[in-house]
Amino acid sequence: MKKLQLLLLMCLGYTAFGQYIDPLEAVDPNIGTVHSRWFFYTPAANPFGMAKPAPSTNGSYGNKWGWEAVGYDGTHTSIEGFVNFHEFQVGGISLMPTSGELITVPGKLEEVDKGYRSNFKKEKEIAQPGYYSVVLEDYNIKAELTSTPRVSFHRYSFPKGENHLLFDIGNTQGESGKVVDAAVTMVDDKTIEGYVITHPGYVKYYQPGAYVKMYFVAEIDKMTSSIASFNKEDIHFGCKTALGQGAGLALTFDENKEYQVEVKIGQSYTSIENARLNLETEAIDLQFDDAKENAQSKWREMLGKIAVKGGSKEHQTKFYTGLYHALLGRGLSSDVNGQYPSINGEVGQIEIDATTNQPKYNHYNTDAVWGAFWNLTQLWALAYPDYYNEFVQCQLDIYKDGGWLADGVATNKFVSGVGTNYTGLLIASAYNKGIDQYDHELAYQAVRKNELGWMNRPLGAGKADTKVFVEEGFVPLTQNNEYYSASNAEGSQFSASHTLEYSFSASAAMKMAKSLHHIDDAKLFANYSKGWEKLFNEEIGFITPKTKDHQFVKDFDPKKVWTGFQEGNAWQYTFYVPHDVKGLAQKIGPQEFIERLDGVFETAAITKFGGGETVDAFAGLENVYNHGNQPSLHIAWMYNFTDQPYKTQYWVREICDVFYGTDETHGYGYGQDEDQGQLGAWYVLAGIGLFDVAGGTGENPNLQLSMPQFEEVKISLDKQFYEGEEVVIKIKGDPTKNRYIKSAEWNGESLESVFLPWSEYIKGGVLEMKSSAKPQK
């Protein structure tokens, strides 16, 4: 038996003697749960799964603006239900087991006894990738959750006597917005099916007339003794159907001994029929324990694509928890038969592979991709290019269905997170890195239109100020107080940051145009990529907004937020020229460039590189550097483009040690905005010491180095896309104590700089570094 266990561990890539740690044991899903977003805490899900059953402490509260922290808060002590859909702007289908008097409203956090919610104790809660359990103290009921990709599994252990299982369908959950319609019915002794239609804030604004639809079919393994329907507090005993807002069913079980009830919930965004098909295909003969084993096996496989050895326990926990969040953030939106909710309101169909009879790829929900090139897509390119390729194919379907690329989508409805659109850059970067199993010309035309198209451009495609950028080469500052986009054809409230963003994405489009021999387009994009220069104010050395008459704004304060800059200020955004770092350094002055970086990080260290210990997503916006938001995430790596790269090595490690924590409050800063795994993915890149300031958009992309946190890192390469088998990073010396690179070799050849060409990485090999406690100047 011991030999069998050892063989199994070795097959998984983790030896019994701890050469590589078990990533599943390193992950702590409870890190950062204070002030976390709706989609953040779903431990029972599969990687990139549609089914994301999770406890909710305040999801029924909804939220005013559609993005604030809601769902599961680590400071709360009661649970109101277990919700199965958890995505950006998507939430619904809640279950809750109870006993005693039948209560059909959740109640408030401060009045637990007035609703069906229950108190719980943290010591009786278990959260692991692929599994969650908790004891509901008020009912003495143990709740357990796991999943397959499209099926949620619930198991409830009831005490003897009369107990209830609530299907709360017609109420707001998290970011769902208002419920428009709902239905739930018990179609036979063990089957419940229904749907809920919601109107989230971002969908309402960015795609008027569109709604989010969620369908389910649930199978219960135990006969009920009675049933009741309800609409909020209005209960109808003996009725098997409920319709409209507040709709739900209450199943009652009665046994004279302790008993368990298992529920499988097939989920879909297209139809009840497809929810049933997803259930039958993925879980017809699967029981809870088998589903849990499969889910955790899948997590080990996915997390294990980046295996690490050594390093501190704290670094291991932060690293794999960050990777876990990066693989959790986006979720399936297509069914097992390849059908998906189209952006045009119809049901789309992914092409079926003639050999496997399976869809060739999947569709996914996604928050905006703002800043994803400094974390998520780099990580996907390194170890998960198959998923990156699917992401591009999904976006091209959206382009074919609706005519435009989408910044973010909720069940393929436009949800442009901050009114911009970086999807073109992400596609160009994928193509640039050899992740290109799709129609290249179609992809290029989509990228081109995203950068230059403005006629009849829908709000949901973002970049409402494209017209003025194309005509003027920059976006002028206008007063536009529209909550979501703040932009129109004449300009933007976020004019300076938009100019920088569009310059960067134009540079990416230029590389793709050049590669596909669209030479005239390449010249055009090259010109637009210099748009940032129009806003560089040489008198003060900062990017400064300009008015419509091409004049810099007066009385300019570089620390001011929101006027000219989206979720940041000129201190942060002046460094937002990742495609031309050397050009920016020349503008500022090479020595002053270094001195400014020094001042930025010495100042930022005082507030722990974010908002200090203030629990608020925007707490660090006015700082000179704010790691809690996307615009700053590349800045620490910019020393690599100077003659002092050792400072990148120092500050990257300092951010990892200070900004990131291992408890519920201090996880990603203090209440900072962990957008679907972006901050976690950044930590992973820092932990292995590989990063690209240009996000893979360079003509010959490369990876910039820093000191990894572990003695050894092994990255498995995907043979569908890359030539090599694996990349192994080995550190001589103690990488926990030593944060500086003394020397480096790639496949036995000395590296003369901190740059590793992408063309070398994909061939596979060994990167060996010697660590040092002192900077190598």
Side-chain angles (χ1 to χ4, degrees):
M1 183 63 183
K2 288 183 178 179
K3 287 183 179 179
L4 180 61
Q5 290 174 333
L6 176 61
L7 179 61
L8 177 61
L9 285 167
M10 292 179 69
C11 289
L12 289 170
Y14 317 108
T15 72
F17 303 101
Q19 282 188 322
Y20 290 102
I21 67 170
D22 183 344
L24 208 66
E25 294 183 2
V27 174
D28 181 357
N30 282 17
I31 287 175
T33 52
V34 173
H35 195 78
S36 66
R37 296 279 292 279
W38 169 245
F39 44 69
F40 181 86
Y41 190 73
T42 56
N46 269 245
F48 301 128
M50 176 190 294
K52 293 183 175 179
S56 174
T57 63
N58 66 345
S60 66
Y61 283 51
N63 57 55
K64 182 178 180 181
W65 299 112
W67 66 268
E68 304 99 317
V70 68
Y72 181 94
D73 187 319
T75 62
H76 294 166
T77 57
S78 66
I79 287 172
E80 64 177 15
F82 302 94
V83 184
N84 296 283
F85 285 100
H86 278 86
E87 302 288 355
F88 178 57
Q89 302 296 287
V90 181
I93 318 300
S94 178
L95 273 63
M96 182 64 181
T98 69
S99 62
E101 178 189 0
L102 178 60
I103 302 173
T104 54
V105 291
K108 299 297 182 181
L109 289 162
E110 63 276 10
E111 296 178 319
V112 177
D113 59 338
K114 293 185 179 180
Y116 60 63
R117 68 171 57 243
S118 171
N119 292 293
F120 74 104
K121 295 178 180 177
K122 292 290 184 181
E123 57 267 29
K124 293 184 179 180
E125 180 184 54
I126 299 172
Q128 302 167 346
Y131 177 72
Y132 175 85
S133 73
V134 68
V135 175
L136 302 174
E137 294 291 322
D138 296 353
Y139 305 124
N140 191 29
I141 295 171
K142 182 179 181 181
E144 299 174 273
L145 307 172
T146 190
S147 66
T148 66
R150 297 173 179 86
V151 180
S152 292
F153 280 70
H154 297 236
R155 182 164 66 188
Y156 300 111
S157 299
F158 290 106
K160 67 179 181 179
E162 186 175 272
N163 300 282
H164 316 289
L165 179 56
L166 306 180
F167 280 74
D168 193 337
I169 309 303
N171 290 306
T172 296
Q173 297 293 344
E175 294 177 355
S176 72
K178 182 180 178 181
V179 170
V180 176
D181 193 15
V184 56
T185 186
M186 192 165 195
V187 296
D188 61 39
D189 290 342
K190 293 186 177 182
T191 308
I192 291 175
E193 62 186 38
Y195 64 84
V196 60
I197 302 173
T198 65
H199 207 191
Y202 280 73
V203 173
K204 185 187 302 183
Y205 178 81
Y206 281 117
Q207 194 168 343
Y211 301 92
V212 166
K213 301 177 182 179
M214 293 159 275
Y215 303 89
F216 76 98
V217 173
E219 286 192 357
I220 306 163
D221 72 343
K222 195 172 190 64
M223 296 283 288
T224 62
S225 59
S226 63
I227 188 170
S229 69
F230 60 86
N231 289 77
K232 297 190 181 298
E233 295 178 283
D234 184 16
I235 303 174
H236 299 271
F237 292 97
C239 185
K240 295 184 177 182
T241 298
L243 302 173
Q245 293 180 357
L249 290 184
L251 314 185
T252 298
F253 307 92
D254 196 354
E255 294 272 349
N256 58 8
K257 60 181 179 180
E258 295 179 351
Y259 56 98
Q260 288 185 332
V261 175
E262 288 192 16
V263 187
K264 304 174 188 178
I265 305 174
Q267 300 175 213
S268 173
Y269 295 111
T270 60
S271 66
I272 288 177
E273 291 74 23
N274 276 354
R276 185 178 296 109
L277 179 64
N278 291 339
L279 175 63
E280 292 172 349
T281 304
E282 294 187 355
I284 190 65
D285 295 320
L286 207 60
Q287 301 306 309
F288 186 95
D289 290 331
D290 297 323
K292 174 189 173 184
E293 182 178 346
N294 292 347
Q296 298 204 308
S297 177
K298 185 62 177 178
W299 273 111
R300 269 201 178 88
E301 174 195 340
M302 293 289 280
L303 293 167
K305 288 182 183 292
I306 306 179
V308 302
K309 171 186 175 182
S312 71
K313 178 81 172 180
E314 182 179 7
H315 283 156
Q316 291 172 2
T317 298
K318 291 180 184 180
F319 180 85
Y320 275 120
T321 302
L323 182 54
Y324 155 79
H325 280 128
L327 298 177
L328 184 69
R330 273 73 174 149
L332 281 166
S333 61
S334 56
D335 300 314
V336 293
N337 60 5
Q339 292 187 340
Y340 64 90
S342 173
I343 204 157
N344 59 23
E346 300 175 359
V347 174
Q349 177 65 59
I350 298 167
E351 185 179 354
I352 302 298
D353 187 284
T355 302
T356 64
N357 203 33
Q358 300 294 317
K360 287 188 173 182
Y361 50 91
N362 294 299
H363 271 224
Y364 296 89
N365 286 305
T366 169
D367 192 358
V369 292
W370 197 53
F373 38 79
W374 287 325
N375 36 68
L376 289 174
T377 58
Q378 288 198 46
L379 179 59
W380 300 344
L382 288 169
Y384 310 94
D386 54 337
Y387 174 73
Y388 198 170
N389 198 76
E390 282 193 301
F391 174 84
V392 174
Q393 290 171 308
C394 172
Q395 286 292 333
L396 294 182
D397 280 346
I398 293 171
Y399 175 73
K400 287 187 289 185
D401 291 345
W404 298 86
L405 292 175
D407 178 37
V409 288
T411 66
N412 275 13
K413 306 301 182 293
F414 281 128
V415 286
S416 182
V418 290
T420 57
N421 190 321
Y422 263 121
T423 305
L425 182 146
L426 266 56
I427 293 173
S429 175
Y431 177 79
N432 207 28
K433 288 191 167 185
I435 303 168
D436 60 356
Q437 294 180 13
Y438 42 81
D439 185 328
H440 298 168
E441 191 57 34
L442 175 68
Y444 173 70
Q445 292 303 325
V447 170
R448 186 183 191 281
K449 189 174 182 180
N450 197 50
E451 297 307 310
L452 304 177
W454 56 267
M455 290 286 289
N456 301 314
R457 187 180 187 114
L459 273 174
K463 300 175 70 165
D465 44 13
T466 302
K467 179 179 184 291
V468 70
F469 179 78
V470 169
E471 292 175 348
E472 302 286 349
F474 77 99
V475 179
L477 180 66
T478 57
Q479 295 301 315
N480 186 322
N481 296 319
E482 194 68 64
Y483 173 72
Y484 292 99
S485 68
S487 306
N488 56 35
E490 297 181 354
S492 175
Q493 180 76 14
F494 308 136
S495 58
S497 57
H498 282 193
T499 300
L500 296 165
E501 292 169 358
Y502 303 168
S503 300
F504 181 26
S505 56
S507 174
M510 176 192 70
K511 307 300 193 316
M512 191 175 188
K514 187 175 180 181
S515 179
L516 290 169
H517 309 294
H518 294 285
I519 305 305
D520 290 342
D521 281 358
K523 293 177 181 177
L524 182 67
F525 284 126
N527 186 49
Y528 285 129
S529 73
K530 297 177 182 178
W532 68 274
E533 296 179 358
K534 297 178 184 292
L535 297 190
F536 187 83
N537 188 338
E538 295 191 9
E539 288 189 12
I540 60 174
F542 284 96
I543 294 291
T544 307
K546 278 185 175 179
T547 56
K548 289 181 180 180
D549 59 0
H550 293 227
Q551 300 299 308
F552 288 120
V553 298
K554 297 178 181 179
D555 302 320
F556 177 66
D557 178 1
K559 290 191 73 174
K560 189 175 182 180
V561 183
W562 300 115
T563 300
F565 301 94
Q566 172 79 48
E567 299 181 24
N569 57 32
W571 271 98
Q572 300 160 22
Y573 269 105
T574 295
F575 292 108
Y576 206 114
V577 191
H579 58 294
D580 191 8
V581 179
K582 291 183 178 180
L584 176 64
Q586 282 299 124
K587 285 279 189 184
I588 295 175
Q591 186 57 38
E592 186 178 341
F593 182 75
I594 294 173
E595 290 173 359
R596 185 178 297 183
L597 285 171
D598 292 344
V600 162
F601 287 104
E602 288 164 5
T603 302
I606 298 170
T607 54
K608 299 184 178 181
F609 304 100
E613 297 186 11
T614 301
V615 179
D616 187 285
F618 288 160
L621 292 194
E622 293 186 4
N623 290 349
V624 295
Y625 175 91
N626 179 27
H627 198 80
N629 215 328
Q630 288 88 335
S632 295
L633 295 182
H634 65 302
I635 300 175
W637 298 85
M638 293 182 109
Y639 283 111
N640 278 338
F641 294 84
T642 74
D643 60 0
Q644 299 180 17
Y646 61 89
K647 290 182 178 177
T648 281
Q649 297 152 34
Y650 177 83
W651 288 115
V652 165
R653 180 63 64 85
E654 195 72 3
I655 292 167
C656 288
D657 289 350
V658 174
F659 179 85
Y660 293 86
T662 57
D663 60 51
E664 292 180 327
T665 304
H666 181 198
Y668 299 90
Y670 288 80
Q672 298 297 302
D673 196 3
E674 167 60 326
D675 278 327
Q676 292 184 297
Q678 290 205 40
L679 294 179
W682 189 96
Y683 188 97
V684 173
L685 297 172
I688 61 178
L690 300 176
F691 191 86
D692 181 6
V693 165
T697 65
E699 193 159 355
N700 297 297
N702 57 59
L703 296 165
Q704 295 99 58
L705 308 183
S706 187
M707 175 55 62
Q709 297 172 352
F710 309 101
E711 296 168 16
E712 187 168 305
V713 177
K714 182 170 69 176
I715 306 171
S716 299
L717 299 183
D718 190 325
K719 295 290 286 184
Q720 289 185 81
F721 299 93
Y722 304 146
E723 181 182 339
E725 296 281 347
E726 62 185 22
V727 169
V728 178
I729 305 172
K730 296 183 177 181
I731 306 302
K732 290 186 177 180
D734 186 346
T736 302
K737 295 180 180 178
N738 303 337
R739 62 178 62 180
Y740 298 106
I741 301 172
K742 185 175 184 179
S743 62
E745 293 182 350
W746 173 252
N747 289 334
E749 297 290 330
S750 294
L751 288 176
E752 300 304 319
S753 72
V754 287
F755 294 87
L756 176 66
W758 180 255
S759 58
E760 287 296 312
Y761 175 87
I762 61 178
K763 293 176 185 176
V766 178
L767 175 62
E768 192 168 68
M769 301 186 199
K770 290 182 180 179
S771 69
S772 171
K774 297 180 179 180
Q776 302 300 299
K777 299 185 179 181

